[in-house]
Amino acid sequence: MKWIIGLVCLFGGAALIAAIVWYLPSTPVDPDVAELSYENVIQLPSQLGGAWSEVDNPGQDGWDTEAFQAEVKKQLKRIGKELSHPNQIAADHLSGLVTEDFRCSDLLPKNFPVVFQNSDLVVKRWKATDVAFSEERLPLAGMGGLVTALKGLVAPFEGGADESAPIESQFKIYRVTPTSDGVTETRQFVSLIGHNAQGRIEQHSDWIARWALQSDGKHQLLALEAVSIEQTSGKRQEGLFVDVTQSVLQGSGAEENQFLLGLDHWFERIQDQRYSAFIGISGVTIGDVNNDGLDDMYVCQETGLPNRLFLQQEDGTLKDVSEAWEVNWLQTSRSSLFVDLDNDGDQDLVVAIMGGVVLAENDGSKYHIKKVLPSSDDTTSISAADYDNDGWLDLYVCANFSNTSLGNELPSDSADFVIHDANDGGSNSLFHNGIKDGKWNFQDVTHDVGLDANNQKYSWAATWEDYDNDGDPDLYVANDFGRDNLYRNDVVDGKVHFTDVAEEANVENAASGMSTSFGDFNRDGLMDIFVSNMYSSAGNRIAFQEQFKPDASSEVRNRMARLARGNTLLKNQGDGSFEDVSGASGVEMGRWAWGSLFFDLNNDGWEDLMVANGFVTTDDTGDL
Amino acid sequence: MTEALNTANSEWSRMLREGRSFSGREKNCVFINTGGSPLANGRFADISSISGLDFADDGRAIALVDWDHDGDLDMWISNRSSPRLRLMRNEDASGHHFVMVRLEGNGQTTNRDGIGARVELKLGSADTDEGSVSEGLRSVRTLRGGEGFLAQSSKWLHFGLGPEQKVLSVTVNWPGGEAETFTGVQADGRYRLVQGKGVAEAVDQGERHLSLSAKQQVPAQRTQVARIPMVDLLSVPDNAFIGFDGQKQQLMDRRGKPMLVTFWSSDCPHCQKELDQLSTGFAKLQSSGIEVIALSIDELSDAEGGADKARQMVLDNKYPFVVGKATPQMAAAFQILHNLQIAIHRQLPLPSSFLIDEYGRLAVIYKGPVSVDQICSDVNYSRDAREKRFVEAALFPGRNLNHPRVEEMAQKKAVRLSYRFGNDLQQAGRPDLAMVQYLDALRLKPDFAEAHYNLGVVCRQMNLIDKALDSFRQATECNPGFSEAHNALGEMLGAKGRLPEALEQFKKAVELNDENQLARENLEKVRALMEQRSP
């Protein structure tokens, strides 16, 4: 009889022991030294460097252009270093960088028009009529030409850069295309950030570079051409926003260290091994808790760190009243809301914890837990709306991972996971508010109203808005690893029913949706949608290569390409559908995006945008 | 593809957890709407740096609020990195005008907060008559309860008016569609719009005396030294160490009293200090019933002559407690025990100590030096109820959220921890150690079908056929739809010669999942066998 040995990992997930390197504790600790060295802990496999490893392993699959991009990125960084101090740009710092017959364009046009200005800043733009490479536009030659072009590029920074404030540069190679024998073309976004005598200045360009293979196997720059640039000059040295946190937090009574140390520090000393804890997502909620006319704040925190309720004082500073109001819960909390659930004129508190939504009633001096509504385990954002217009606020809570995976492992550890269209995430829930005569009744109506359709996504956030102006709130859900949902609220036979119209409304936006916001960005009276998505330059490079998944259908290829493209701005057409204007509006290029919002930052009436970025930053400098 | 993806992803996950940056140091982006200028063609401009909001903090949630009541939007940002909170004050000096409104629904047909209401302002420049409304731009804002990412902004709706503009009309479209016009709204004011009143109420906060000042936040100093009490108590897998006399000893032979396992090396000054103070405090540790087992890792490192130095240290110091040498498996086991429970899989520092309670469960991890007093005061920690341990383990004082649902989730987490560790040990070829974990999981959740099943698998590997049979049966009882468990139960019954019962189980297994190839084969075999045997 045959014995089976199988089914050891019912919940998916690579076994720790199998994967672990059996390294040994050998670094003596010096408790007085705060910064630790991570060198030699683990050597990074070279083929993963810079690769879009979420999708595929280019090193293994023969994406030799990825190795190439790593090489030319170093060259670009040499240029970046040279640009950091305009007065010191010199040919001998750049030896070996360009070929003898190198040609280049001006990197900053001599004259280019002001397209926007206000009291704080001036925006100038230029774009080549044809953004393909053109030999015609390369008047400068040789190393001397390059030096001239570089000096020209940073001329607007005159009077700003010095040793303490060099010009910062960033290069994002987003396309690699072999052209002819030994010549490869790269497209890159180039950002320069710094100061001049007037104030802050930033320049964002799109460059085409051609690289020629040399006999030693390395590449030299054959040609360089700027095809577009946007230059914004500010009129003050400080930012438009300044950090006043310390003045409001010190003296609040809350231990300052808890916010002055990153979550990495805290994750090293608390028992919670979940991947989803590790990524560190803590929500912030504003509301006037004590009806004194001043907005207060609740901060959610990860395991082991208590949630905080801060009351704003008359002078703008904070007072920590978490203990007195009995809301300093230690359970992992992601997000919260201040809403008047029982319509009694004060702000009740809703908190998403793992596996539930806590409802607490405000009695003027503390919160009383009324309910913990059972939900998916891995809750993320909550949003409130009166979806059935009965006068009471209902609650929608998002979930990212499915319950079985509990956020322990990456989603790809599940066999059913499809990165561009994942349908094995957690289920979001809609709770109907049925508070009556002081009794807090909430019912999970997700299924009853049709919100169980397409509801196994890795959701991060949802926002309610009556996008079709028919008097009831509709719902947009931002999902990671695939398509978003747009649930249209319809009343059918006197009953609310939601239909996912993402496809017909042209808002599928199959990308890495992290957050979503509504706003009328073009002031036509219709609410438009912004979705922050991950932008991956590596993903762009790979997905646009011809040899990328040659066997895949064009739909899959397009979806994979979309997955890395970046933020999305969807213009409401007024006929129930949206037009994707992300590229034309210049908001696509973000980074590893998280929170985002429309807001009018300079009171001119036009909705601006903010996107928070960055996945995981550690002391390690060898970023992937 | 899937395999390559999984490999890449596991690798990715591993590197992340070991403290690598990934898409780190990426700055926040701010885009300004150039809508006022036809030349800009509707294209936003990137003003990330000029905004002063372009921090590389691993930004997360953004919430908007006019914190200082000066008519422009300030914002709170939460971050993963330090500083984890920022209040960014808007220093707008454009001279543009504004209106702020706070809604109040009637609490009957409309929620009191007015969430879902859309407010529309029609604007005109100062020289525009009321009659020429169409000339002015309009602004619409909806009050939302939660927007963006894990965030809720202030319920004060903000309208920027631009230069020299005045408000021509204010309309509130209450949820449900009823539109109400409000009069009395003027530029640069804050108003309450109460449903049904039709007239805006000015809110005068009076002059505020703010104590807000701009200052760069400085990250606090990090240290690797940490005391980590375990909320869920995992059984420590048994492992051997070698005494300096060359005798191999099993750690768990010493179970029955609490023990402190300390890893040290001769070339680490902090270790020497730690061992010295454990010696000095030995009587105190003894009176608390704690046994100390100090294990050198010198032989495991590449350092020249470390083993001899360690031996010399032991000879010179005549430590009153048990000393020995860690085997590679022992050292790795404790690193794994750490990694299994802590989100960041940083290499353990030296010294590192593990307090194990009398039942062989890991109670506290100490990274770096720990005082004898601390160890003694932790000796009874694992006896506390889970909720108490939860509060005790917290990084700052806080409270447990007392609710059955929370308990349920906590229990699920604890069960899963043991169960997964069991999976890992099983995969690593240690059914004996895996068994302990599955039993722990089942103690917490007796109806856990998969744990019964895997317990059966490890028992079978260890040739405990009766126990395996019993476990598989329990797996099928907890989850009657568990095809693999029926098959495994059939195999055990078959092994015991109970062919008709085995046949039933294989049938059941195939019935539940006709793709269960093993069950199909087993079914064929047992049928053939039964035919052979029947005359």
PDB file of all heavy atoms in Angstrom, chain B residues 411-438:
ATOM      1  N   GLN B 411      -7.332  33.670  19.485  1.00  0.00           N
ATOM      2  CA  GLN B 411      -7.149  32.228  19.563  1.00  0.00           C
ATOM      3  C   GLN B 411      -6.747  31.665  18.198  1.00  0.00           C
ATOM      4  O   GLN B 411      -5.864  30.816  18.091  1.00  0.00           O
ATOM      5  CB  GLN B 411      -8.444  31.576  20.063  1.00  0.00           C
ATOM      6  CG  GLN B 411      -8.193  30.226  20.686  1.00  0.00           C
ATOM      7  CD  GLN B 411      -9.198  29.194  20.217  1.00  0.00           C
ATOM      8  OE1 GLN B 411      -9.699  29.251  19.096  1.00  0.00           O
ATOM      9  NE2 GLN B 411      -9.509  28.261  21.106  1.00  0.00           N
ATOM     10  N   LYS B 412      -7.383  32.188  17.181  1.00  0.00           N
ATOM     11  CA  LYS B 412      -7.079  31.755  15.816  1.00  0.00           C
ATOM     12  C   LYS B 412      -5.593  31.972  15.509  1.00  0.00           C
ATOM     13  O   LYS B 412      -4.930  31.126  14.913  1.00  0.00           O
ATOM     14  CB  LYS B 412      -7.946  32.587  14.868  1.00  0.00           C
ATOM     15  CG  LYS B 412      -7.993  32.129  13.446  1.00  0.00           C
ATOM     16  CD  LYS B 412      -9.100  32.896  12.727  1.00  0.00           C
ATOM     17  CE  LYS B 412      -9.019  32.710  11.233  1.00  0.00           C
ATOM     18  NZ  LYS B 412     -10.060  33.444  10.527  1.00  0.00           N
ATOM     19  N   LYS B 413      -5.092  33.125  15.954  1.00  0.00           N
ATOM     20  CA  LYS B 413      -3.695  33.471  15.715  1.00  0.00           C
ATOM     21  C   LYS B 413      -2.772  32.482  16.438  1.00  0.00           C
ATOM     22  O   LYS B 413      -1.786  32.004  15.871  1.00  0.00           O
ATOM     23  CB  LYS B 413      -3.458  34.899  16.214  1.00  0.00           C
ATOM     24  CG  LYS B 413      -2.126  35.478  15.865  1.00  0.00           C
ATOM     25  CD  LYS B 413      -2.097  36.983  16.199  1.00  0.00           C
ATOM     26  CE  LYS B 413      -0.677  37.486  16.238  1.00  0.00           C
ATOM     27  NZ  LYS B 413      -0.281  38.003  17.553  1.00  0.00           N
ATOM     28  N   ALA B 414      -3.125  32.172  17.680  1.00  0.00           N
ATOM     29  CA  ALA B 414      -2.294  31.270  18.473  1.00  0.00           C
ATOM     30  C   ALA B 414      -2.292  29.868  17.853  1.00  0.00           C
ATOM     31  O   ALA B 414      -1.239  29.229  17.741  1.00  0.00           O
ATOM     32  CB  ALA B 414      -2.809  31.217  19.912  1.00  0.00           C
ATOM     33  N   VAL B 415      -3.472  29.408  17.448  1.00  0.00           N
ATOM     34  CA  VAL B 415      -3.582  28.082  16.848  1.00  0.00           C
ATOM     35  C   VAL B 415      -2.727  28.007  15.596  1.00  0.00           C
ATOM     36  O   VAL B 415      -1.979  27.072  15.365  1.00  0.00           O
ATOM     37  CB  VAL B 415      -5.059  27.773  16.468  1.00  0.00           C
ATOM     38  CG1 VAL B 415      -5.160  26.513  15.637  1.00  0.00           C
ATOM     39  CG2 VAL B 415      -5.900  27.674  17.724  1.00  0.00           C
ATOM     40  N   ARG B 416      -2.846  29.048  14.816  1.00  0.00           N
ATOM     41  CA  ARG B 416      -2.151  29.087  13.544  1.00  0.00           C
ATOM     42  C   ARG B 416      -0.631  29.080  13.727  1.00  0.00           C
ATOM     43  O   ARG B 416       0.095  28.458  12.954  1.00  0.00           O
ATOM     44  CB  ARG B 416      -2.588  30.344  12.799  1.00  0.00           C
ATOM     45  CG  ARG B 416      -2.277  30.285  11.362  1.00  0.00           C
ATOM     46  CD  ARG B 416      -2.722  31.543  10.661  1.00  0.00           C
ATOM     47  NE  ARG B 416      -1.821  31.770   9.569  1.00  0.00           N
ATOM     48  CZ  ARG B 416      -1.828  31.057   8.441  1.00  0.00           C
ATOM     49  NH1 ARG B 416      -2.692  30.092   8.290  1.00  0.00           N
ATOM     50  NH2 ARG B 416      -0.962  31.308   7.496  1.00  0.00           N
ATOM     51  N   LEU B 417      -0.186  29.766  14.751  1.00  0.00           N
ATOM     52  CA  LEU B 417       1.251  29.825  15.023  1.00  0.00           C
ATOM     53  C   LEU B 417       1.814  28.424  15.255  1.00  0.00           C
ATOM     54  O   LEU B 417       2.791  28.012  14.640  1.00  0.00           O
ATOM     55  CB  LEU B 417       1.501  30.729  16.234  1.00  0.00           C
ATOM     56  CG  LEU B 417       2.955  30.965  16.625  1.00  0.00           C
ATOM     57  CD1 LEU B 417       3.693  31.724  15.522  1.00  0.00           C
ATOM     58  CD2 LEU B 417       3.032  31.747  17.937  1.00  0.00           C
ATOM     59  N   SER B 418       1.163  27.671  16.149  1.00  0.00           N
ATOM     60  CA  SER B 418       1.634  26.312  16.428  1.00  0.00           C
ATOM     61  C   SER B 418       1.490  25.429  15.196  1.00  0.00           C
ATOM     62  O   SER B 418       2.368  24.640  14.873  1.00  0.00           O
ATOM     63  CB  SER B 418       0.833  25.694  17.573  1.00  0.00           C
ATOM     64  OG  SER B 418       1.078  26.396  18.760  1.00  0.00           O
ATOM     65  N   TYR B 419       0.364  25.578  14.531  1.00  0.00           N
ATOM     66  CA  TYR B 419       0.088  24.733  13.371  1.00  0.00           C
ATOM     67  C   TYR B 419       1.127  24.940  12.267  1.00  0.00           C
ATOM     68  O   TYR B 419       1.668  23.995  11.714  1.00  0.00           O
ATOM     69  CB  TYR B 419      -1.319  25.031  12.842  1.00  0.00           C
ATOM     70  CG  TYR B 419      -1.652  24.266  11.595  1.00  0.00           C
ATOM     71  CD1 TYR B 419      -1.903  22.885  11.658  1.00  0.00           C
ATOM     72  CD2 TYR B 419      -1.692  24.886  10.362  1.00  0.00           C
ATOM     73  CE1 TYR B 419      -2.186  22.161  10.517  1.00  0.00           C
ATOM     74  CE2 TYR B 419      -1.965  24.166   9.214  1.00  0.00           C
ATOM     75  CZ  TYR B 419      -2.213  22.813   9.289  1.00  0.00           C
ATOM     76  OH  TYR B 419      -2.490  22.101   8.163  1.00  0.00           O
ATOM     77  N   ARG B 420       1.405  26.203  11.998  1.00  0.00           N
ATOM     78  CA  ARG B 420       2.382  26.494  10.943  1.00  0.00           C
ATOM     79  C   ARG B 420       3.781  26.019  11.327  1.00  0.00           C
ATOM     80  O   ARG B 420       4.539  25.541  10.490  1.00  0.00           O
ATOM     81  CB  ARG B 420       2.417  27.994  10.650  1.00  0.00           C
ATOM     82  CG  ARG B 420       1.277  28.449   9.758  1.00  0.00           C
ATOM     83  CD  ARG B 420       1.322  29.946   9.576  1.00  0.00           C
ATOM     84  NE  ARG B 420       2.665  30.379   9.178  1.00  0.00           N
ATOM     85  CZ  ARG B 420       3.091  30.398   7.921  1.00  0.00           C
ATOM     86  NH1 ARG B 420       2.305  30.027   6.959  1.00  0.00           N
ATOM     87  NH2 ARG B 420       4.308  30.816   7.644  1.00  0.00           N
ATOM     88  N   PHE B 421       4.100  26.169  12.581  1.00  0.00           N
ATOM     89  CA  PHE B 421       5.404  25.697  13.027  1.00  0.00           C
ATOM     90  C   PHE B 421       5.462  24.179  12.851  1.00  0.00           C
ATOM     91  O   PHE B 421       6.472  23.618  12.428  1.00  0.00           O
ATOM     92  CB  PHE B 421       5.641  26.101  14.482  1.00  0.00           C
ATOM     93  CG  PHE B 421       7.072  25.955  14.929  1.00  0.00           C
ATOM     94  CD1 PHE B 421       8.118  26.043  14.031  1.00  0.00           C
ATOM     95  CD2 PHE B 421       7.360  25.758  16.275  1.00  0.00           C
ATOM     96  CE1 PHE B 421       9.444  25.920  14.451  1.00  0.00           C
ATOM     97  CE2 PHE B 421       8.680  25.639  16.711  1.00  0.00           C
ATOM     98  CZ  PHE B 421       9.713  25.712  15.795  1.00  0.00           C
ATOM     99  N   GLY B 422       4.345  23.523  13.161  1.00  0.00           N
ATOM    100  CA  GLY B 422       4.251  22.086  12.930  1.00  0.00           C
ATOM    101  C   GLY B 422       4.503  21.744  11.468  1.00  0.00           C
ATOM    102  O   GLY B 422       5.281  20.851  11.148  1.00  0.00           O
ATOM    103  N   ASN B 423       3.878  22.501  10.568  1.00  0.00           N
ATOM    104  CA  ASN B 423       4.085  22.307   9.124  1.00  0.00           C
ATOM    105  C   ASN B 423       5.567  22.405   8.767  1.00  0.00           C
ATOM    106  O   ASN B 423       6.109  21.569   8.053  1.00  0.00           O
ATOM    107  CB  ASN B 423       3.352  23.379   8.309  1.00  0.00           C
ATOM    108  CG  ASN B 423       1.850  23.211   8.282  1.00  0.00           C
ATOM    109  OD1 ASN B 423       1.143  24.040   7.764  1.00  0.00           O
ATOM    110  ND2 ASN B 423       1.344  22.123   8.846  1.00  0.00           N
ATOM    111  N   ASP B 424       6.191  23.441   9.297  1.00  0.00           N
ATOM    112  CA  ASP B 424       7.600  23.672   8.976  1.00  0.00           C
ATOM    113  C   ASP B 424       8.472  22.518   9.472  1.00  0.00           C
ATOM    114  O   ASP B 424       9.348  22.034   8.761  1.00  0.00           O
ATOM    115  CB  ASP B 424       8.077  24.986   9.612  1.00  0.00           C
ATOM    116  CG  ASP B 424       7.364  26.191   9.023  1.00  0.00           C
ATOM    117  OD1 ASP B 424       6.766  26.039   7.932  1.00  0.00           O
ATOM    118  OD2 ASP B 424       7.388  27.256   9.645  1.00  0.00           O
ATOM    119  N   LEU B 425       8.220  22.117  10.708  1.00  0.00           N
ATOM    120  CA  LEU B 425       9.035  21.042  11.291  1.00  0.00           C
ATOM    121  C   LEU B 425       8.804  19.733  10.540  1.00  0.00           C
ATOM    122  O   LEU B 425       9.726  18.947  10.317  1.00  0.00           O
ATOM    123  CB  LEU B 425       8.703  20.879  12.775  1.00  0.00           C
ATOM    124  CG  LEU B 425       9.144  22.056  13.647  1.00  0.00           C
ATOM    125  CD1 LEU B 425       8.465  22.012  15.013  1.00  0.00           C
ATOM    126  CD2 LEU B 425      10.665  22.044  13.820  1.00  0.00           C
ATOM    127  N   GLN B 426       7.568  19.537  10.125  1.00  0.00           N
ATOM    128  CA  GLN B 426       7.237  18.341   9.365  1.00  0.00           C
ATOM    129  C   GLN B 426       7.991  18.344   8.035  1.00  0.00           C
ATOM    130  O   GLN B 426       8.595  17.351   7.650  1.00  0.00           O
ATOM    131  CB  GLN B 426       5.725  18.336   9.124  1.00  0.00           C
ATOM    132  CG  GLN B 426       5.202  17.078   8.485  1.00  0.00           C
ATOM    133  CD  GLN B 426       3.681  17.134   8.353  1.00  0.00           C
ATOM    134  OE1 GLN B 426       3.034  18.017   8.900  1.00  0.00           O
ATOM    135  NE2 GLN B 426       3.135  16.197   7.615  1.00  0.00           N
ATOM    136  N   GLN B 427       7.982  19.495   7.379  1.00  0.00           N
ATOM    137  CA  GLN B 427       8.691  19.599   6.103  1.00  0.00           C
ATOM    138  C   GLN B 427      10.180  19.438   6.284  1.00  0.00           C
ATOM    139  O   GLN B 427      10.862  18.955   5.392  1.00  0.00           O
ATOM    140  CB  GLN B 427       8.411  20.956   5.458  1.00  0.00           C
ATOM    141  CG  GLN B 427       7.190  20.917   4.584  1.00  0.00           C
ATOM    142  CD  GLN B 427       7.248  21.967   3.474  1.00  0.00           C
ATOM    143  OE1 GLN B 427       8.088  22.860   3.493  1.00  0.00           O
ATOM    144  NE2 GLN B 427       6.350  21.837   2.525  1.00  0.00           N
ATOM    145  N   ALA B 428      10.675  19.865   7.434  1.00  0.00           N
ATOM    146  CA  ALA B 428      12.102  19.758   7.701  1.00  0.00           C
ATOM    147  C   ALA B 428      12.479  18.329   8.101  1.00  0.00           C
ATOM    148  O   ALA B 428      13.621  18.070   8.451  1.00  0.00           O
ATOM    149  CB  ALA B 428      12.504  20.744   8.783  1.00  0.00           C
ATOM    150  N   GLY B 429      11.506  17.429   8.083  1.00  0.00           N
ATOM    151  CA  GLY B 429      11.810  16.030   8.371  1.00  0.00           C
ATOM    152  C   GLY B 429      11.896  15.714   9.854  1.00  0.00           C
ATOM    153  O   GLY B 429      12.632  14.812  10.262  1.00  0.00           O
ATOM    154  N   ARG B 430      11.179  16.483  10.672  1.00  0.00           N
ATOM    155  CA  ARG B 430      11.168  16.203  12.106  1.00  0.00           C
ATOM    156  C   ARG B 430       9.734  15.972  12.588  1.00  0.00           C
ATOM    157  O   ARG B 430       9.141  16.794  13.286  1.00  0.00           O
ATOM    158  CB  ARG B 430      11.788  17.366  12.880  1.00  0.00           C
ATOM    159  CG  ARG B 430      13.281  17.538  12.693  1.00  0.00           C
ATOM    160  CD  ARG B 430      14.099  16.314  13.128  1.00  0.00           C
ATOM    161  NE  ARG B 430      13.905  15.983  14.537  1.00  0.00           N
ATOM    162  CZ  ARG B 430      14.700  16.440  15.523  1.00  0.00           C
ATOM    163  NH1 ARG B 430      15.713  17.222  15.256  1.00  0.00           N
ATOM    164  NH2 ARG B 430      14.449  16.089  16.775  1.00  0.00           N
ATOM    165  N   PRO B 431       9.170  14.782  12.237  1.00  0.00           N
ATOM    166  CA  PRO B 431       7.794  14.506  12.650  1.00  0.00           C
ATOM    167  C   PRO B 431       7.627  14.525  14.170  1.00  0.00           C
ATOM    168  O   PRO B 431       6.572  14.930  14.670  1.00  0.00           O
ATOM    169  CB  PRO B 431       7.524  13.108  12.082  1.00  0.00           C
ATOM    170  CG  PRO B 431       8.848  12.531  11.754  1.00  0.00           C
ATOM    171  CD  PRO B 431       9.751  13.680  11.447  1.00  0.00           C
ATOM    172  N   ASP B 432       8.672  14.143  14.884  1.00  0.00           N
ATOM    173  CA  ASP B 432       8.591  14.118  16.354  1.00  0.00           C
ATOM    174  C   ASP B 432       8.347  15.516  16.917  1.00  0.00           C
ATOM    175  O   ASP B 432       7.539  15.708  17.833  1.00  0.00           O
ATOM    176  CB  ASP B 432       9.868  13.510  16.944  1.00  0.00           C
ATOM    177  CG  ASP B 432      11.140  14.187  16.416  1.00  0.00           C
ATOM    178  OD1 ASP B 432      11.118  14.698  15.270  1.00  0.00           O
ATOM    179  OD2 ASP B 432      12.136  14.227  17.159  1.00  0.00           O
ATOM    180  N   LEU B 433       9.073  16.500  16.320  1.00  0.00           N
ATOM    181  CA  LEU B 433       8.904  17.871  16.809  1.00  0.00           C
ATOM    182  C   LEU B 433       7.592  18.471  16.311  1.00  0.00           C
ATOM    183  O   LEU B 433       6.947  19.252  17.009  1.00  0.00           O
ATOM    184  CB  LEU B 433      10.082  18.733  16.350  1.00  0.00           C
ATOM    185  CG  LEU B 433      11.471  18.284  16.815  1.00  0.00           C
ATOM    186  CD1 LEU B 433      12.538  19.237  16.293  1.00  0.00           C
ATOM    187  CD2 LEU B 433      11.535  18.205  18.339  1.00  0.00           C
ATOM    188  N   ALA B 434       7.225  18.090  15.089  1.00  0.00           N
ATOM    189  CA  ALA B 434       5.985  18.603  14.514  1.00  0.00           C
ATOM    190  C   ALA B 434       4.791  18.167  15.360  1.00  0.00           C
ATOM    191  O   ALA B 434       3.849  18.937  15.591  1.00  0.00           O
ATOM    192  CB  ALA B 434       5.829  18.121  13.082  1.00  0.00           C
ATOM    193  N   MET B 435       4.855  16.937  15.854  1.00  0.00           N
ATOM    194  CA  MET B 435       3.765  16.363  16.637  1.00  0.00           C
ATOM    195  C   MET B 435       3.416  17.246  17.833  1.00  0.00           C
ATOM    196  O   MET B 435       2.245  17.507  18.118  1.00  0.00           O
ATOM    197  CB  MET B 435       4.233  14.999  17.119  1.00  0.00           C
ATOM    198  CG  MET B 435       3.207  14.177  17.779  1.00  0.00           C
ATOM    199  SD  MET B 435       4.060  12.617  18.110  1.00  0.00           S
ATOM    200  CE  MET B 435       2.731  11.676  18.644  1.00  0.00           C
ATOM    201  N   VAL B 436       4.461  17.733  18.509  1.00  0.00           N
ATOM    202  CA  VAL B 436       4.244  18.581  19.683  1.00  0.00           C
ATOM    203  C   VAL B 436       3.439  19.816  19.301  1.00  0.00           C
ATOM    204  O   VAL B 436       2.502  20.225  19.999  1.00  0.00           O
ATOM    205  CB  VAL B 436       5.611  19.012  20.278  1.00  0.00           C
ATOM    206  CG1 VAL B 436       5.432  19.964  21.437  1.00  0.00           C
ATOM    207  CG2 VAL B 436       6.414  17.794  20.690  1.00  0.00           C
ATOM    208  N   GLN B 437       3.781  20.385  18.150  1.00  0.00           N
ATOM    209  CA  GLN B 437       3.097  21.604  17.717  1.00  0.00           C
ATOM    210  C   GLN B 437       1.636  21.325  17.361  1.00  0.00           C
ATOM    211  O   GLN B 437       0.749  22.103  17.682  1.00  0.00           O
ATOM    212  CB  GLN B 437       3.828  22.234  16.519  1.00  0.00           C
ATOM    213  CG  GLN B 437       5.295  22.580  16.788  1.00  0.00           C
ATOM    214  CD  GLN B 437       5.469  23.546  17.955  1.00  0.00           C
ATOM    215  OE1 GLN B 437       4.613  24.390  18.204  1.00  0.00           O
ATOM    216  NE2 GLN B 437       6.566  23.395  18.697  1.00  0.00           N
ATOM    217  N   TYR B 438       1.399  20.199  16.680  1.00  0.00           N
ATOM    218  CA  TYR B 438       0.018  19.879  16.304  1.00  0.00           C
ATOM    219  C   TYR B 438      -0.823  19.619  17.552  1.00  0.00           C
ATOM    220  O   TYR B 438      -1.986  20.007  17.626  1.00  0.00           O
ATOM    221  CB  TYR B 438      -0.022  18.670  15.362  1.00  0.00           C
ATOM    222  CG  TYR B 438       0.566  18.975  14.003  1.00  0.00           C
ATOM    223  CD1 TYR B 438       1.385  18.053  13.349  1.00  0.00           C
ATOM    224  CD2 TYR B 438       0.306  20.185  13.363  1.00  0.00           C
ATOM    225  CE1 TYR B 438       1.923  18.334  12.105  1.00  0.00           C
ATOM    226  CE2 TYR B 438       0.853  20.484  12.118  1.00  0.00           C
ATOM    227  CZ  TYR B 438       1.661  19.545  11.496  1.00  0.00           C
ATOM    228  OH  TYR B 438       2.196  19.848  10.271  1.00  0.00           O
TER     229      TYR B 438
END
